[in-house]
Amino acid sequence: MAARIASGKPREDHQPDRAGGAPTAAALRPRLRALRAAMTAADRAAADARIIAFLQGRIHDYLSASRWGNRPVVLSAFWPIGDEPDLRPALHAWAGDSRLELALPVIQTRAAPLEFRAWTPGAAMAPGAYRIPEPQGTHACVPDIVLVPTLGYTADGDRIGYGGGYYDRTLAALRSRGEPFVAIGVAYACGLLPPDVHLPEPHDMRLDEIVTEEAVLAVPR
């Protein structure tokens, strides 16, 4: 069972940045980045290990449920940059599971939905847009489970990303095609925002669940 985490109190005072509303995502990002930057290297390593443990449990649950039939389940992860959670140990562990096919996002076109390319531990990688490593010469995939890097989030599944809009476009495109995928946000617990602090924009795509070092947040339907 996925555990629920409490929404809690605001971690700092926020002044509205638009008339009659909550701060915009752009206004919240520096505060969220500062909270991440305050984590020590030891705290971050311990948090990453707990995030991976929770993720491995959730992926096991999805595989056991056979939601996508008997074919391999396409799991899209992400290569860490900056102070993002480092999931690479989990990727190497998942690579040994024949029930999974791993993929990483690729930016083929600026300001467009992401593409996904198959990844294995031996796959050639090269920096793509924003200097993020991307698989080279592998086939395209349609993900069944998308692990979404998440800077800030609410208990309702609203996400603040890094400002490029790539994952919002991608999730919107997948949903418009009727793809039966699951979007799992991956965040540090310090990114939690009460719903009245963050007012999502119409184009923002909600996540299905969120994994942090503290728990799995099952988003209410």
Side-chain angles (χ1 to χ4, degrees):
M1 293 291 293
R4 289 187 58 82
I5 57 178
S7 60
K9 297 179 180 179
R11 296 178 181 268
E12 57 180 317
D13 292 331
H14 297 288
Q15 297 299 318
D17 293 311
R18 51 188 163 190
T24 63
L28 288 168
R29 283 189 190 99
R31 309 172 196 180
L32 292 166
R33 289 184 182 278
L35 289 170
R36 275 198 179 180
M39 297 174 66
T40 67
D43 288 343
R44 194 182 305 280
D48 288 354
R50 290 193 293 270
I51 288 171
I52 285 172
F54 278 124
L55 278 174
Q56 288 173 324
R58 291 304 293 138
I59 299 306
H60 173 78
D61 292 344
Y62 280 113
L63 292 174
S64 298
S66 301
R67 173 173 175 172
W68 294 280
N70 295 324
R71 65 171 175 79
V73 173
V74 179
L75 170 61
S76 170
F78 56 87
W79 208 260
I81 58 170
D83 56 6
E84 288 180 340
D86 188 351
L87 305 183
R88 285 176 293 183
L91 267 67
H92 285 269
W94 286 324
D97 192 330
S98 62
R99 299 171 297 175
L100 288 170
E101 180 178 2
L102 300 183
L104 291 175
V106 173
I107 297 177
Q108 292 281 60
T109 305
R110 298 270 185 170
L114 297 165
E115 296 189 14
F116 298 91
R117 297 282 174 180
W119 176 87
T120 63
M125 301 280 283
Y130 306 105
R131 306 299 296 171
I132 301 172
E134 298 175 346
Q136 303 296 301
T138 61
H139 63 272
C141 305
V142 176
D144 300 306
I145 303 173
V146 184
L147 303 185
V148 184
T150 298
L151 181 60
Y153 63 96
T154 72
D156 291 328
D158 294 312
R159 168 184 176 268
I160 292 179
Y162 301 95
Y166 285 98
Y167 275 95
D168 285 323
R169 295 185 195 97
T170 301
L171 300 184
L174 290 171
R175 285 174 181 156
S176 70
R177 300 202 305 262
E179 302 289 353
F181 74 97
V182 175
I184 302 176
V186 180
Y188 290 120
C190 62
L192 176 61
L193 296 167
D196 59 346
V197 168
H198 172 52
L199 182 63
E201 299 287 350
H203 63 267
D204 290 337
M205 293 289 104
R206 275 188 169 171
L207 301 165
D208 296 303
E209 55 189 76
I210 300 161
V211 173
T212 75
E213 72 274 23
E214 292 185 356
V216 177
L217 172 63
V219 175
R221 294 293 184 181

